[in-house]
Amino acid sequence: MIVTLTPNPSLDRALELDRLVRGEVNRATGAHVHPGGKGINVSRVLIRHGVPSLAVLPTGGADGARLVDLLGERAVPVVPVPVGGDVRTNLTLVETGGATTKVNAPGPKLTPDEVDALLAAVEAQLVNRPRALVGAGSLPLGASETFFVRVAGLAARYAVPFALDTSGLPLARAVRSGGLTLVKPNDEELAELVGQDIVTVGDAVEAARTVIAQGTRAVLLSLGAHGALLILADAVWWAGGPPLVPVSTVGAGDTTLAGFLAAEGHAPERLRQAVAFGRAAVLLPGTAVPAPEDIDLGAVRVVENPAHHLALKEL
């Protein structure tokens, strides 16, 4: 079992457009409603690929109830934590050709008691010693920037590996506190975290090892169309494949993380599967989850110790 925690879930409404024109009336060619949130996305992918997963999330209002119903339709087990505010609704505009515009609402403001209840729900799952815990996404109002520090402390108490995919101050505070098994930033998030530009592979490795020195075991660095880097204290791998024409990039990073967590074997093969999952995701509309038959491991090349002078866009 892999447990995911999504502190600020959403009901995601996606509209498909030929082209988005600002300031004009735009007519959608298609519309979809999906359960949203990074941890939820990870659980959906894992379950689609036969890996047991369970999603812990706060729920409130009619949209919160619908979110739980939609997850049930997708066979995702849920531990809902009732809150007084309404679950947020996010809007995604997907243009033909893959350009994606997202408008994310802030979400409800949790009370201190609701934050404590959410953490207690996580701890109740950690007692069962799951294979891993994933914390992912933004924080709701009312949850302090140390929220994921508290989650990491719970994971350490029960010796459960903890993977974190967030950004900004919550990521910085968690990294400084240490005890993380894996973090999965993109290059912009990593640059913000360490306060330096990341242009080359060498820049990325240096930045990631700054994170690792503070108590994180590994950094899975998402590079979008240019693949991904997996950086450990003493090893580096890059994985990528031929160029693709994306249909939608929504949830691709979450799918990449799920692929890594679902994989067996040594680090480079886990990275290969992670990138294969992410590549499959961008070929699907909206937040659709790739099926096992969509995954093409053979299209992904893995390189150990890629040249440090290479620009990330050259990978």
Side-chain angles (χ1 to χ4, degrees):
M1 174 68 71
I2 294 177
V3 175
T4 65
L5 167 62
T6 306
N8 199 14
S10 62
L11 195 66
D12 282 0
R13 301 181 185 276
L15 300 178
E16 297 173 358
L17 311 167
D18 290 332
R19 185 169 64 94
L20 176 63
V21 182
R22 292 182 59 191
E24 300 290 341
V25 174
N26 293 267
R27 299 193 183 280
T29 58
H32 310 275
V33 180
H34 301 282
K38 295 179 71 63
I40 287 171
N41 292 340
V42 171
S43 283
R44 289 179 58 204
V45 176
L46 290 170
I47 288 170
R48 186 71 187 272
H49 290 263
V51 179
S53 185
L54 177 148
V56 179
L57 59 148
T59 59
D63 280 350
R66 187 171 185 193
L67 173 61
V68 172
D69 288 343
L70 287 171
L71 288 170
E73 292 172 7
R74 290 159 174 79
V76 178
V78 178
V79 176
V81 178
V83 299
D86 292 343
V87 162
R88 61 183 177 153
T89 296
N90 292 339
L91 180 64
T92 302
L93 306 176
V94 182
E95 299 175 64
T96 301
T100 301
T101 303
K102 294 199 70 175
V103 182
N104 288 349
K109 182 176 182 178
L110 304 191
T111 67
D113 286 346
E114 289 169 345
V115 172
D116 289 344
L118 188 58
L119 292 169
V122 172
E123 184 169 13
Q125 298 305 315
L126 293 175
V127 170
N128 298 320
R129 299 296 197 280
R131 175 171 157 185
L133 170 66
V134 178
S138 64
L139 295 180
L141 299 172
S144 77
E145 66 272 10
T146 62
F147 178 83
F148 285 123
V149 176
R150 296 176 68 185
V151 176
L154 290 174
R157 182 183 304 171
Y158 294 95
V160 173
F162 179 44
L164 179 61
D165 184 5
T166 189
S167 60
L169 192 54
L171 174 61
R173 293 296 296 268
V175 165
R176 284 201 298 268
S177 294
L180 307 177
T181 306
L182 178 77
V183 295
K184 196 209 73 62
N186 59 33
D187 52 337
E188 293 180 357
E189 291 164 346
L190 182 59
E192 179 185 4
L193 179 63
V194 301
Q196 66 184 55
D197 292 336
I198 297 178
V199 178
T200 67
V201 172
D203 296 336
V205 172
E206 180 183 353
R209 286 187 172 152
T210 298
V211 172
I212 290 168
Q214 296 176 79
T216 294
R217 187 176 303 171
V219 176
L220 177 59
L221 181 61
S222 174
L223 303 175
H226 305 293
L229 286 164
L230 178 62
I231 303 160
L232 309 180
D234 57 357
V236 181
W237 295 272
W238 168 81
L244 297 171
V245 177
V247 175
S248 171
T249 60
V250 178
D254 308 327
T255 305
T256 298
L257 177 57
F260 186 86
L261 295 170
E264 304 286 351
H266 297 296
E269 290 309 308
R270 297 185 72 183
L271 178 62
R272 184 192 304 276
Q273 179 163 301
V275 171
F277 271 51
R279 286 170 59 84
V282 302
L283 297 178
L284 298 172
T287 58
V289 171
E293 59 268 22
D294 297 322
I295 307 302
D296 186 359
L297 291 173
V300 179
R301 184 167 59 101
V302 179
V303 176
E304 186 173 6
N305 295 321
H308 280 207
H309 68 273
L310 281 176
L312 297 180
K313 64 183 180 181
E314 295 175 332
L315 288 169

